Amino acid sequence: MLHFYYGVMGSSKTAMLLMQRYNYMTQDLHVALVKPAIDTRIDLNTVYSRVGLTACADIVLGPGHSIREQLSWFAVRNGYNDVPYVFVDEAQFLSPEQVQEMADMSDEIEFFCYGLKTDFMGEFFPGSAALLRLAEDVGEVPGGLCWCGCKATMNTRIDGKGNVIKEGEQVLIDNQQEIRYIGLCYKHWKAGISHAPVSE
Ligand SMILES: [Zn+2]
């Protein structure tokens, strides 16, 4: 089955993914940890959670890679007959073709994809749109909060001074150009207010 668990920035999606993967590993089940190559926050192979959990990706998936091919090579390298459990971090960066491949393999493999639903402009990522179309199990990772204490639903790009940025390229990773991403509630995202008013 193809699963898509989406959550806003700061909802600990990667930590949840790593904990779920750990549960499968302790049962000696064959798992693969996949991340799209576009996420270069730490280094190419590291899956990183802001909570502090990290792991090394088994497969770093380039934009043109076939996930089917990559999984079969991973199985051969490890002497596995199959890899029935696959965890994908930052799944919004998958291509629609890669999501389609996963859907086509999902009668034999459990794909657990964690990622963002929308970008900093409130638009779908192509990978997220494909996952929402094709995943048989869609759920929300709760817990992301706005500074006001309300549920955060909007991924927000801010510059080094905390200004909310509403225009630009869809993908700018947060170690570039001093930008960061935070979660805001819809009201504060719309108003472009990224932090509580400073009292004097
Ligand atoms: Zn708010």
Side-chain angles (χ1 to χ4, degrees):
M1 185 179 280
L2 177 57
H3 309 258
F4 180 38
Y5 303 126
Y6 66 86
V8 76
M9 281 285 172
S11 58
S12 307
K13 291 181 297 300
T14 302
M16 278 198 53
L17 176 154
L18 292 176
M19 288 190 287
Q20 192 189 15
R21 168 177 168 267
Y22 176 80
N23 292 339
Y24 283 81
M25 289 170 76
T26 55
Q27 303 300 329
D28 288 328
L29 298 166
H30 295 164
V31 308
L33 177 57
V34 177
K35 75 178 253 191
I38 199 160
D39 175 24
T40 57
R41 274 181 302 186
I42 299 298
D43 63 55
L44 205 57
N45 285 304
T46 305
V47 172
Y48 160 80
S49 154
R50 294 178 188 202
V51 174
L53 300 173
T54 59
C56 187
D58 299 307
I59 296 169
V60 177
L61 203 62
H65 281 160
S66 155
I67 192 160
R68 185 189 294 274
E69 268 179 24
Q70 297 288 322
L71 282 173
S72 70
W73 291 336
F74 171 75
V76 168
R77 279 203 304 277
N78 288 278
Y80 298 160
N81 290 326
D82 56 6
V83 184
Y85 303 98
V86 176
F87 294 85
V88 184
D89 191 36
E90 305 288 357
Q92 72 275 7
F93 294 141
L94 294 166
S95 71
E97 292 75 19
Q98 288 163 342
V99 175
Q100 183 68 56
E101 269 193 298
M102 290 194 296
D104 292 342
M105 290 187 282
S106 65
D107 49 346
E108 290 166 4
I109 299 177
E110 295 288 327
F111 288 100
F112 299 101
C113 298
Y114 285 76
L116 303 174
K117 189 169 66 170
T118 52
D119 66 15
F120 73 103
M121 297 174 285
E123 304 284 345
F124 285 129
F125 288 93
S128 317
L131 283 161
L132 287 168
R133 281 192 293 112
L134 296 173
E136 290 181 280
D137 172 37
V138 175
E140 182 175 18
V141 179
L145 290 178
C146 182
W147 57 264
C148 69
C150 290
K151 175 180 172 174
T153 56
M154 304 305 290
N155 296 304
T156 310
R157 179 181 287 176
I158 59 174
D159 67 16
K161 292 177 182 153
N163 298 312
V164 173
I165 302 168
K166 292 270 184 80
E167 290 178 349
E169 294 168 62
Q170 184 174 56
V171 179
L172 270 185
I173 302 295
D174 43 354
N175 55 10
Q176 298 169 350
Q177 300 173 20
E178 294 199 330
I179 59 154
R180 286 196 300 126
Y181 292 94
I182 59 170
L184 293 180
C185 69
Y186 183 74
K187 180 176 125 183
H188 288 127
W189 174 80
K190 193 175 172 206
I193 302 172
S194 70
H195 49 78
V198 182
S199 51
E200 314 233 332

